[in-house]
Structure formats: C-alpha cells, structure tokens
Amino acid sequence: MDGLLIDSEDLYTICTNAVLREYGKPDLPWSIKAQLQGRSGPAAAKIFEEWADLPISDEELGSKVAALQRHHFPSTQPLPGVPSLLQNLSSTTSPRVHIALATSSHAVNFKLKTDHLQHLFSVFPEERRVLGDDTRIPPGKGKPAPDIYLLALKTINDGIKREGKEREITPEECLVFEDSVPGIEAGRRAGMRVIWCPHPGLLKEYKGREEEVLAGLGSAREGEEGPKAAANVGEDIKGKEIRSRQRVEGEPGKPGDGWGRLLQTLEDFPYSLYGIKVDSSLNG
C-alpha cells in the first residue's frame, strides 16, 4: 500500500529525517530505507535503530516519529494510475477479478493514511484487508515471509466458498502488486506472480539487480550498512522455523523466470498481458 497505492513512503522519509536532523544525523539513505520498506514495524525498527544509533531510547524515538506521522499521514494522496486501476480491477473486468489488501501498516497508521481516501479504499471489503498487526499473522512472519499474502488469498477463498459459485483460487493464479523488495520476496515465496512498481530512488538503488528482485532474491545485500540488524531479523525467522519444525518461508523464484514484471508506474496498466479484459459496461 505505502509507496504503491498512496504517496506515504515519502512522508515516512520526511518524518524519519526530521528526527535524524534533530540529533545531527544524516538523512536516511536509500541503502537503509530499502531494507525498511515493506517490513513489519518491529523488524524495520530493529534495522533502523542499529543504523541510526540515536542517543535516545526506543520508546522516545517511537513517540517522536509517531507524533510526526499523526501530522503528515492524513495528507496522503493516491499515486498516478491507482484510482483507475482499482476501479477496473474491482468492477469492470472479465472474467471477474478478486482483490484483497495486504499491507505491513498497522491499524492505527492505516486509519491515519486512509480515512480521507474512503473512495479509494472502499474497493477492499473489511474482510479482505490484512494489516501488519493482524493477529492471524504470528510474530516473525511479516514480509519477506509469505504469510501475509497467503492470508490475503485465504480471505478471498473464504468468500468464494461462502458464495459457492466459483472454484477457489490457487497461489499461482494470483498477481501481487508491490513497491518494496521484501514485499516482492514475500509474493514470490507465496508462489504468486508479482508486479514491482518501486519508488525511483529504490529503483536506482537496485540498478542492475532488477531480475534478482523480481525473483525474490533482492532482500539480502552483502556490504550494505546495517547488515547485522537485517541478518538478525532473518535469524529470528529461521529460529522460529527450527523451533516449530515448520517452514516459515517458501522458495523464491529464479532470475528471468517470467513470474515478475517491473513497471515504473501503474498508469496504463497492461491488463491483456494477464488475460484480463476491461469492460466499462460492467461498471455499476
């Protein structure tokens, strides 16, 4: 959602940089922001706090950032192409397309960012909204683990079963829209096709590695600042996997396997490439 449907990623940066500047720190570079995007709040905080090394407690940092977010988030706006894309996918496609929202944003921030955009988000029924603090997602299973997307698919299939008119949808029939690198990995590990529509700053950071990202192999980057914290997040996930004797993550893809596509904008979306026909007569 953030940086894909609405312009909140830039607002996150504004809030973060305001706190960094207060303590004489440099602005947040894309090498670090790339690691934060799409991750759950605790996972992102762990990476950021190690890099920033601010002389305040985690609680004070959280309080300062939250106050700035309460000021800025109600000003979010849709990104180019998003209103028409959501309208088409929700009501004017043949065959019918089912959509769900899967975001790492927790409920409080989601409300701040979207209350004034009900015309945009009303296409997602409440039962098909999976937020970052959804209790059905256990701790440690946020992006880049696939759980959030598999849960979003379950919400769709639960509705299909209730209606009893269609067969259930399989992961390989799903298309994930993402702007973040961990989010693309989550989609690929869920066994789904992906669209990567990144911020220009993020795309520049991954120049030459686009196919790795589309395969779900872009989250781990040797030599980046903050690697210890990023590794610790990964170890937390792996530790839970070992203790429970269950797989937390599925397999990513392979570069060039055709299951991912890079788009620099959601304007003029290529529906036909995915077998989707838009029929405006179906609207209303």
Side-chain angles (χ1 to χ4, degrees):
M1 178 186 78
D2 296 295
L4 176 78
L5 303 182
I6 56 177
D7 60 359
S8 45
E9 274 299 343
D10 286 335
L11 300 180
Y12 270 110
T13 301
I14 289 171
C15 296
T16 301
N17 284 344
V19 177
L20 289 170
R21 291 170 185 175
E22 183 180 347
Y23 294 96
K25 299 287 186 176
D27 285 352
L28 184 70
W30 269 104
S31 61
I32 297 299
K33 186 172 176 64
Q35 299 177 54
L36 309 181
Q37 284 184 300
R39 295 187 188 273
S40 65
K46 192 172 186 178
I47 296 169
F48 174 77
E49 288 159 11
E50 181 178 292
W51 170 79
D53 192 27
L54 294 171
I56 54 177
S57 67
D58 296 350
E59 292 74 18
E60 188 175 357
L61 171 61
S63 178
K64 286 177 176 289
V65 172
L68 289 163
Q69 290 174 347
R70 286 193 296 272
H71 173 72
H72 287 286
F73 282 172
S75 67
T76 59
Q77 291 299 316
L79 287 168
V82 169
S84 60
L85 176 66
L86 291 182
Q87 178 64 31
N88 286 336
L89 291 179
S90 65
S91 61
T92 65
T93 59
S94 177
R96 180 186 180 188
V97 170
H98 297 273
I99 63 174
L101 179 69
T103 175
S104 296
S105 190
H106 60 71
V108 172
N109 275 353
F110 179 78
K111 182 176 175 63
L112 285 171
K113 299 170 196 170
T114 65
D115 263 6
H116 61 294
L117 298 174
Q118 288 304 308
H119 60 288
L120 190 73
F121 286 90
S122 61
V123 302
F124 301 107
E126 288 289 340
E127 66 273 15
R128 292 188 182 180
R129 298 180 182 185
V130 182
L131 307 185
D133 53 355
D134 193 307
T135 57
R136 294 171 293 180
I137 302 175
K141 290 191 177 182
K143 301 173 188 177
D147 299 66
I148 192 169
Y149 283 119
L150 294 174
L151 179 56
L153 174 57
K154 183 179 184 299
T155 68
I156 291 174
N157 280 333
D158 285 348
I160 289 175
K161 284 189 287 187
R162 284 194 300 269
E163 291 181 6
K165 297 179 181 178
E166 302 175 63
R167 65 170 178 82
E168 292 183 41
I169 297 168
T170 61
E172 58 266 26
E173 293 175 302
C174 296
L175 181 62
V176 168
F177 289 79
E178 263 288 351
D179 69 303
S180 76
V181 174
I184 288 293
E185 181 176 343
R188 291 305 311 264
R189 289 186 180 277
M192 301 173 179
R193 297 181 182 273
V194 296
I195 294 288
W196 184 34
C197 188
H199 189 287
L202 181 64
L203 186 58
K204 182 178 179 181
E205 184 69 20
Y206 279 86
K207 183 176 176 59
R209 299 188 65 225
E210 295 88 348
E211 285 297 329
E212 289 179 44
V213 173
L214 293 172
L217 302 171
S219 288
R221 298 190 62 188
E222 249 183 76
E224 281 185 333
E225 299 175 79
K228 180 180 176 183
N232 286 343
V233 171
E235 286 303 314
D236 288 347
I237 294 174
K238 293 181 189 301
K240 288 180 173 61
E241 180 178 327
I242 293 169
R243 289 193 296 274
S244 66
R245 296 187 179 181
Q246 294 178 343
R247 284 198 58 75
V248 174
E249 302 172 78
E251 294 297 321
K254 296 180 180 180
D257 61 11
W259 277 55
R261 184 179 298 274
L262 169 64
L263 296 179
Q264 296 192 39
T265 177
L266 293 179
E267 296 174 286
D268 301 317
F269 183 74
Y271 299 97
S272 61
L273 293 179
Y274 298 95
I276 301 172
K277 180 181 178 182
V278 175
D279 185 349
S280 58
S281 69
L282 297 175
N283 191 11

